[in-house]
Amino acid sequence: METGIFKGVYSSVDPRQTGRPGMGTPGRNAARRRYWFVWEHDAGGYVVQPLSASMEPTGERRAISTAELAKGYAFEPDVLAVPVRPGLTAMQGARGGSGGSGGKKRQDPAPGDAPSGMAAGRDANRRSGDIAGHEVGAQTERSLRADFAIALAQLRRGDRDRAVRALERLAEAPGEFVPAHRHMFTDFGINLRKSKLPRIAIRHHLRALDLSPDDSHVHFNIARTYYDMGDTERAEQHLRESLELTPDLEPSRRFLDFLLERKAGAANDEGTARKAAR
């Protein structure tokens, strides 16, 4: 089964019957937590593989949808187990517990290295996007877009608090970003504005602006979001900046004309009210 970026270790909770003859209460409900390796699927969705109690891969990999991952699986950032190439000793990590003890990540031998007692390699935690090489930007974007899709799925099924936390973290995501990544953050911002989350949307749009401060379309989208937040002054400011950069950008011109007409109408109404009060 073709897999893409390794996403990390996730958990699921399976109800089970724990009653046994002569032991405890027969049929009492309990839950068993299972752990899984999760990858992106090259054909879309995700691939999961169950882990044993010692965090070793066990069982076959299978494909699941983005909705299934969002509904039935939870990311476990404290579990540091990672997959390894066939023929190598399995790498294991330990969950961070309340006592503060935990296993230390081993590293995967880098391609071309000779076998030795000290394995050299790259950091296994790919969620940070901190992957050396030319493809770091593209892999980071794929990972963040997948996380965004999961968070939106959580939001749509009513898990609002969890989704909002994830979306806020995405707005501050670390990574080696370039100006072209403004499109990703802009897409996030537009989706969030349409999802009635303008205060999170603006954080994504401002991230796009940091990457490309001279993009007139970025300023337009920021103006749209500030307008939804009720901040017409900032909306007007960004529309003017948009038109300074691209004077013939018609959406910005129409939007600014609309705001100025509303402002003039509000001023006229206020003047009429003052005259009537004299």
Side-chain angles (χ1 to χ4, degrees):
M1 185 173 295
E2 296 298 323
T3 59
I5 295 174
F6 175 61
K7 297 294 295 176
V9 176
Y10 284 64
S11 67
S12 64
V13 177
D14 299 328
R16 65 172 182 173
Q17 299 293 320
T18 59
R20 295 180 181 177
M23 296 181 62
T25 304
R28 189 180 65 169
N29 288 329
R32 179 168 65 100
R33 186 174 297 276
R34 299 186 67 185
Y35 293 93
W36 308 78
F37 280 155
V38 177
W39 297 264
E40 292 181 2
H41 197 313
D42 285 351
Y46 296 87
V47 173
V48 298
Q49 183 178 25
L51 301 177
S52 68
S54 59
M55 293 298 162
E56 295 280 357
T58 178
E60 298 295 324
R61 300 181 183 186
R62 63 184 178 89
I64 63 172
S65 67
T66 298
E68 286 177 297
L69 183 70
K71 182 178 181 180
Y73 298 78
F75 177 57
E76 297 287 350
D78 293 330
V79 180
L80 304 180
V82 295
V84 294
R85 296 193 300 271
L88 296 177
T89 301
M91 246 185 300
Q92 298 178 16
R95 301 180 62 206
S98 58
S101 62
K104 202 172 185 179
K105 285 187 289 184
R106 299 179 188 173
Q107 291 183 314
D108 195 354
D113 283 356
S116 68
M118 296 182 62
R122 59 194 179 189
D123 186 357
N125 187 359
R126 301 191 180 188
R127 286 182 57 84
S128 66
D130 191 17
I131 305 171
H134 181 69
E135 297 181 355
V136 61
Q139 293 200 21
T140 299
E141 179 169 351
R142 287 180 62 195
S143 179
L144 293 181
R145 284 187 181 275
D147 289 343
F148 185 81
I150 291 171
L152 278 189
Q154 291 170 344
L155 184 68
R156 288 165 184 158
R157 77 163 191 261
D159 195 354
R160 184 182 177 85
D161 290 344
R162 186 176 173 187
V164 165
R165 288 194 298 271
L167 293 166
E168 289 174 338
R169 286 195 300 271
L170 281 173
E172 307 298 331
E176 296 182 21
F177 297 113
V178 296
H181 283 115
R182 70 187 181 278
H183 299 299
M184 175 183 69
F185 286 108
T186 294
D187 290 346
F188 292 170
I190 291 172
N191 267 288
L192 291 169
R193 179 178 62 80
K194 292 179 177 179
S195 298
K196 310 300 182 184
L197 292 172
R199 295 190 181 279
I200 304 178
I202 198 65
R203 294 171 62 178
H204 287 272
H205 282 310
L206 292 175
R207 190 75 183 271
L209 184 65
D210 287 339
L211 293 170
S212 187
D214 296 329
D215 189 314
S216 56
H217 292 83
V218 170
H219 283 285
F220 170 78
N221 283 301
I222 290 174
R224 286 288 307 271
T225 308
Y226 273 133
Y227 178 78
D228 284 3
M229 294 168 63
D231 192 340
T232 55
E233 289 186 8
R234 287 187 179 179
E236 180 181 336
Q237 172 191 338
H238 281 279
L239 288 171
R240 292 187 184 278
E241 291 186 40
S242 174
L243 290 168
E244 284 181 10
L245 293 165
T246 309
D248 60 347
L249 188 61
E250 189 61 24
S252 292
R253 171 58 59 194
R254 290 201 305 267
F255 195 4
L256 180 59
D257 288 345
F258 166 75
L259 290 183
L260 294 178
E261 287 176 6
R262 284 197 57 182
K263 183 187 287 187
N268 289 335
D269 291 344
E270 184 178 352
T272 300
R274 286 180 180 175
K275 288 180 182 179
R278 289 178 183 173

